[in-house]
Amino acid sequence: DPCPRRPRSGSSLAAGFDREAEARAPLLADLAREIRRASPADARSLREFIEKIDEVLASLSDEREVLRRVDAWPGAKVEAMRELCHLLAELDEMARAARQWPRLDPNSRALRSSAKAATVAWACDEERGKISRFADAMRRRIESIERTAAADVARFAGHGLGGVNVEVKLLATKHASLTLADRYARVSLLAAERAVRDDDGPYGTGRAKARELLAGAVRFALRLHELAGGFDASSREALEDVRAFLASIDETREEV
């Protein structure tokens, strides 16, 4: 039987990387100059430039070994660009998830008028819990980003990446969270309306439950108001509907 091939020695591997670095030197030198000059104007330009870098680096047999043989490779700037791109993508994803949070369908099987009160209450509580957990996670992550934002922005600017405004993206993500205030209020209204409808009298537990639900919606909205620095049109309208329904509950009680 033929003898198995012996593994390449460390010296032969190093020599191979030396030859590869020498062969790729013109291409990598041009790319390094482009990276040092790069100053992307927006998140899309940044992402496209990183894709261009990655396309070249993917062709190397061992990125780390070859690049450490390249004179003055701007590795710190490349890492800063990747970090900034990841941060912007994370903020975009949070904002998108909040803005696209689905509305509960009042005509669904669990919520239609013929559904049992307990079924409606369970479905609404489940949805309120999902919204609340997502909003809390979103708020914690935004606050974590904000704690280091000033230093991070300065560091990115030091690498020539000041054209991509992290603070604007952060503010847009905060504003997107207000969609959650609207959704939470609408679900709470749905549950409150059903609680009042199925109440057995003006002093029964249904009205008390409705007030509790709506007060919770107001508290939730105020937390997001604090995060975003204000309300938008949809969240403001939802809170007006909450206020109007609370007033109608109290008026009904006074008439009896």
Side-chain angles (χ1 to χ4, degrees):
D1 293 337
C3 296
R5 183 177 297 176
R6 297 176 62 184
R8 297 172 65 186
S9 67
S11 59
S12 62
L13 279 172
F17 294 140
D18 290 341
R19 288 192 296 272
E20 184 176 1
E22 184 178 356
R24 298 295 189 93
L27 174 64
L28 294 175
D30 286 345
L31 181 59
R33 281 191 292 271
E34 281 191 65
I35 292 170
R36 283 190 286 270
R37 292 196 302 262
S39 182
D42 52 42
R44 180 178 179 180
S45 301
L46 174 64
R47 184 177 64 255
E48 289 175 349
F49 191 71
I50 290 175
E51 289 172 355
K52 178 181 179 179
I53 296 172
D54 287 342
E55 185 178 356
V56 173
L57 298 186
S59 67
L60 304 179
S61 62
D62 187 310
E63 177 183 325
R64 187 181 69 85
E65 287 294 336
V66 175
L67 291 181
R68 74 187 188 89
R69 289 165 166 79
V70 177
D71 290 337
W73 175 256
K77 182 168 183 177
V78 173
E79 288 307 306
M81 294 173 80
R82 293 189 193 285
E83 182 184 350
L84 176 56
C85 190
H86 176 78
L87 175 60
L88 297 173
E90 182 183 11
L91 289 171
D92 273 342
E93 181 56 34
M94 280 195 293
R96 187 180 304 109
R99 284 194 299 265
Q100 295 180 357
W101 195 277
R103 298 177 183 272
L104 276 190
D105 180 6
N107 297 315
S108 66
R109 183 175 181 179
L111 300 175
R112 60 192 179 191
S113 58
S114 59
K116 293 181 179 179
T119 303
V120 173
W122 182 89
C124 290
D125 285 348
E126 183 78 3
E127 182 66 10
R128 281 156 46 99
K130 290 178 182 177
I131 297 172
S132 181
R133 287 189 294 274
F134 181 82
D136 286 346
M138 187 177 184
R139 177 181 52 78
R140 286 194 300 271
R141 182 58 183 136
I142 287 174
E143 289 174 349
S144 174
I145 292 170
E146 284 187 313
R147 281 194 289 271
T148 61
D152 289 339
V153 167
R155 179 164 52 83
F156 293 142
H159 286 293
L161 305 175
V164 183
N165 198 321
V166 175
E167 293 170 336
V168 168
K169 185 74 71 174
L170 193 57
L171 184 60
T173 305
K174 290 179 178 182
H175 286 169
S177 72
L178 293 172
T179 301
L180 301 174
D182 169 76
R183 300 293 189 268
Y184 195 97
R186 296 299 175 190
V187 175
S188 299
L189 275 167
L190 187 63
E193 289 166 358
R194 185 57 184 269
V196 170
R197 195 195 80 176
D198 294 338
D199 199 359
D200 57 2
Y203 303 105
T205 59
R207 281 168 170 71
K209 178 61 176 177
R211 280 190 286 271
E212 178 186 337
L213 288 165
L214 299 179
V218 171
R219 289 193 297 270
F220 181 83
L222 289 176
R223 289 200 300 273
L224 292 179
H225 175 279
E226 183 179 2
L227 178 67
F231 287 127
D232 61 3
S234 62
S235 57
R236 190 177 299 111
E237 181 182 351
L239 283 178
E240 281 297 314
D241 290 343
V242 167
R243 183 199 62 78
F245 193 70
L246 274 169
S248 72
I249 295 173
D250 292 336
E251 287 172 4
T252 303
R253 178 172 180 172
E254 289 173 3
E255 289 171 2
V256 177

